[in-house]
Amino acid sequence: MYPTITVSFAQSIDGRIATAGGDSQWISGPDSLHLAQGLRRDNETILVGINTVLRDDPLLTCRIEGSRSPARIVLDSRLRLPVDSKIARTSATYRSVVMTSEPVDSRRARALESLGLEVAVLPRAGEGISVRAAAAWIGERGYRSLFVEGGGAVITAFLRERLVDRMTIVVAPIIVGKGIEAIGDLAIGGLDAALRPSSIGTRRLGDDLVWELSFDRSAPAGKDDGVA
Ligand SMILES: NC(=O)c1ccc[n+]([C@@H]2O[C@H](COP(=O)([O-])OP(=O)(O)OC[C@H]3O[C@@H](n4cnc5c(N)ncnc54)[C@H](OP(=O)(O)O)[C@@H]3O)[C@@H](O)[C@H]2O)c1
């Protein structure tokens, strides 16, 4: 059983989640920044790609008083997660999992495990870890919800596999030009194959426009051949 999967990100009007150099703090306005905190509170797990960790060194906890933090998961097939990253340093306090793939550098794995991180070895699919296998791993451990917070490559992988139930997209009124795209290749040929939400909501938050979308997971999957 897969958990319910929510994707959220803040993008410029021209669809960038960061500049070409990786600067993303902060694309959205102050009101919208609370949105991500609410999603961290409302989901049992949170997942990011290793590039986001290397660029931003996020803690990925929920800072809303009285709320628990989600279990933190990093997709990192080459085990590049730094032992001095905030996630690694706080992994004795907050459950933290690094999902990697063979061949595993056992010395690095032991160093991360000694800090409290769990190293899960998953199959590969396409250009990274199978996101289907990742979702199944999370569901099998009893977690019912997953918040995919970024970056673009990971968001794209979940969308390509039609694993996303909900999306919250914050569109900020800035134009970045060349930069990191929010969503990359979804292997969509014609517009009839474009992803279309089953429900749509929009609202203003300060100067930002927030899109809240739901999807049916009945659409066919893409190329990921991980376990279901
Ligand atoms: N505006 C926002 O809301 C927001 C939110 C989050 C992040 N960001 C920004 O996004 C940027 C990073 O985004 P990004 O697209 O470069 O990288 P990313 O999605 O954070 O990480 C991608 C990396 O994760 C690993 N990975 C493992 N399995 C994968 C899979 N199935 N699919 C995709 N990646 C997989 C790969 O590295 P290996 O091959 O080494 O495993 C891959 O290169 C940063 O600048 C960050 O600041 C913005």
Side-chain angles (χ1 to χ4, degrees):
M1 249 312 245
Y2 294 138
T4 300
I5 300 180
T6 302
V7 166
S8 182
F9 54 85
Q11 68 163 55
S12 61
I13 276 184
D14 53 334
R16 305 297 182 204
I17 58 165
T19 64
D23 186 16
S24 66
Q25 294 176 352
W26 301 104
I27 285 184
S28 57
D31 296 331
S32 304
L33 289 176
H34 298 295
L35 258 178
Q37 286 295 320
L39 287 165
R40 290 180 185 185
R41 176 197 56 212
D42 297 341
N43 284 277
E44 295 176 348
T45 56
I46 183 169
L47 180 147
V48 294
I50 184 63
N51 289 355
T52 294
V53 176
L54 296 176
R55 182 63 175 75
D56 300 340
D57 194 18
L59 195 52
L60 301 182
T61 55
C62 178
R63 264 84 100 185
I64 299 170
E65 216 175 298
S67 304
R68 54 152 189 74
S69 287
R72 304 170 301 177
I73 299 162
V74 181
L75 289 190
D76 177 14
S77 45
R78 288 172 281 169
L79 222 47
R80 290 184 289 157
L81 182 71
V83 287
D84 61 351
S85 61
K86 286 183 186 152
I87 290 177
R89 284 193 282 116
T90 56
S91 56
T93 309
Y94 305 103
R95 185 172 185 190
S96 312
V97 181
V98 56
M99 292 182 168
T100 195
S101 56
E102 300 282 10
V104 180
D105 178 338
S106 53
R107 206 170 50 87
R108 278 204 68 73
R110 275 198 304 276
L112 292 167
E113 283 167 346
S114 71
L115 295 169
L117 268 142
E118 184 173 354
V119 177
V121 183
L122 268 62
R124 290 185 63 87
E127 288 169 20
I129 291 159
S130 159
V131 290
R132 288 193 168 270
W137 189 99
I138 292 163
E140 280 156 13
R141 274 142 194 89
Y143 292 115
R144 288 159 303 175
S145 52
L146 167 65
F147 170 24
V148 178
E149 204 180 77
V154 163
I155 290 167
T156 301
F158 276 88
L159 281 171
R160 197 167 47 227
E161 285 306 308
R162 311 291 193 269
L163 284 171
V164 177
D165 299 287
R166 296 184 200 136
M167 282 180 93
T168 299
I169 305 171
V170 178
V171 182
I174 58 169
I175 297 170
V176 169
K178 190 173 180 213
I180 297 178
E181 59 195 5
I183 302 170
D185 183 14
L186 297 181
I188 286 172
L191 273 183
D192 55 342
L195 304 191
R196 291 179 198 273
S198 50
S199 83
I200 304 167
T202 53
R203 62 191 161 106
R204 282 284 293 269
L205 256 185
D207 287 337
D208 299 336
L209 182 63
V210 181
W211 287 82
E212 287 174 311
L213 313 173
S214 300
F215 294 88
D216 292 333
R217 241 196 241 167
S218 48
K223 294 170 286 197
D224 187 331
D225 53 2
V227 296

